[in-house]
Amino acid sequence: MIQPPSRRATLLLLAGAAWPARASEDADRARRALEKGEIRPLDEILRAARAAVPGDVVAVDLKRDDGQWLYKLRILGADGKRRSVKVDAGSLKILDEDDDD
């Protein structure tokens, strides 16, 4: 006999259903900011972050904070340490870098 999904499984399924819509909204927001010249292309952001903290970028998040576009990247270094790097999305300036571990 097939059991109905648990409450937790149902909540996870519902949360997952909302994720693609959010990702699409985020992509549209980033595209508009790029078209307006408010942010730089992602390949430039990645190059600037890797120059400051060498390694593999494993996560990227674009946010608007107090009128400023910021990228927060998580980078996994060759030493196995994870680091967070904040980059001004308009100027490519490295604003902050921290060890996550």
Side-chain angles (χ1 to χ4, degrees):
M1 181 170 164
I2 298 175
Q3 296 291 322
S6 69
R7 177 180 160 92
R8 183 173 187 271
T10 301
L11 290 174
L12 290 173
L13 287 171
L14 291 174
W19 183 79
R22 162 109 186 191
S24 178
E25 290 171 18
D26 288 348
D28 289 342
R29 187 173 56 120
R31 188 178 307 105
R32 284 191 304 271
L34 180 62
E35 289 169 353
K36 291 179 183 177
E38 296 175 349
I39 64 173
R40 305 286 285 273
L42 184 57
D43 63 331
E44 293 179 23
I45 300 293
L46 295 173
R47 202 169 19 256
R50 284 189 190 120
V53 179
D56 295 320
V57 175
V58 295
V60 177
D61 188 26
L62 176 64
K63 294 189 179 208
R64 190 155 173 92
D65 187 23
D66 291 331
Q68 179 181 23
W69 288 102
L70 302 173
Y71 271 104
K72 181 177 180 184
L73 298 96
R74 289 209 171 82
I75 298 177
L76 181 62
D79 58 2
K81 290 186 179 180
R82 290 178 300 161
R83 294 176 177 86
S84 292
V85 179
K86 288 183 186 172
V87 181
D88 181 302
S91 72
L92 301 178
K93 180 180 176 186
I94 305 298
L95 302 174
D96 189 26
E97 59 181 87
D98 296 318
D99 284 349
D100 284 349
D101 296 329

